[in-house]
Amino acid sequence: MLRRKPTRLELKLDDIEEFESIRKDLENRKKQKEDVEVVGGSDGEGTIGLSSDPKSREQMINDRIGYKPQPKPNNRSSQFGSFEF
């Protein structure tokens, strides 16, 4: 393998400005998200994420990914159709 001299990187003013703008955007998003959580927490929704109940955690994950499980019917007519015995 060929060895080469290390490349010198220079920090430019444009790079610093871009970094600062991205950092401010991320901070603003974080503040907005915290504000939404505080508003949701007063309704009782914010506490769902903090509870250790596995059902609420599972429900939160299902909501996040858009999965809506259908309950399984337990009666015989649903298992075998509309047959008459």
Side-chain angles (χ1 to χ4, degrees):
M1 182 190 285
L2 297 175
R3 300 272 303 179
R4 65 181 184 138
K5 295 180 182 177
T7 306
R8 185 174 187 94
L9 298 176
E10 296 180 16
L11 187 61
K12 298 179 182 176
L13 185 60
D14 294 337
D15 297 332
I16 295 172
E17 291 173 353
E18 182 181 359
F19 172 76
E20 291 294 328
S21 66
I22 292 173
R23 190 177 76 181
K24 287 180 183 178
D25 289 342
L26 289 175
E27 288 175 357
N28 289 337
R29 288 182 188 171
K30 186 176 180 182
K31 287 179 184 177
Q32 288 175 352
K33 189 175 183 181
E34 289 174 355
D35 291 343
V36 169
E37 288 177 356
V38 168
V39 171
S42 63
D43 295 340
E45 274 186 36
T47 58
I48 292 175
L50 301 175
S51 69
S52 62
D53 185 24
K55 288 289 183 182
S56 64
R57 181 176 181 270
E58 182 178 331
Q59 180 64 35
M60 188 175 68
I61 292 171
N62 289 344
D63 290 343
R64 187 173 59 214
I65 64 174
Y67 175 66
K68 295 176 179 60
Q70 299 295 325
K72 294 179 182 177
N74 290 331
N75 54 11
R76 288 185 182 264
S77 63
S78 63
Q79 291 176 351
F80 299 108
S82 61
F83 298 125
E84 294 184 21
F85 295 105

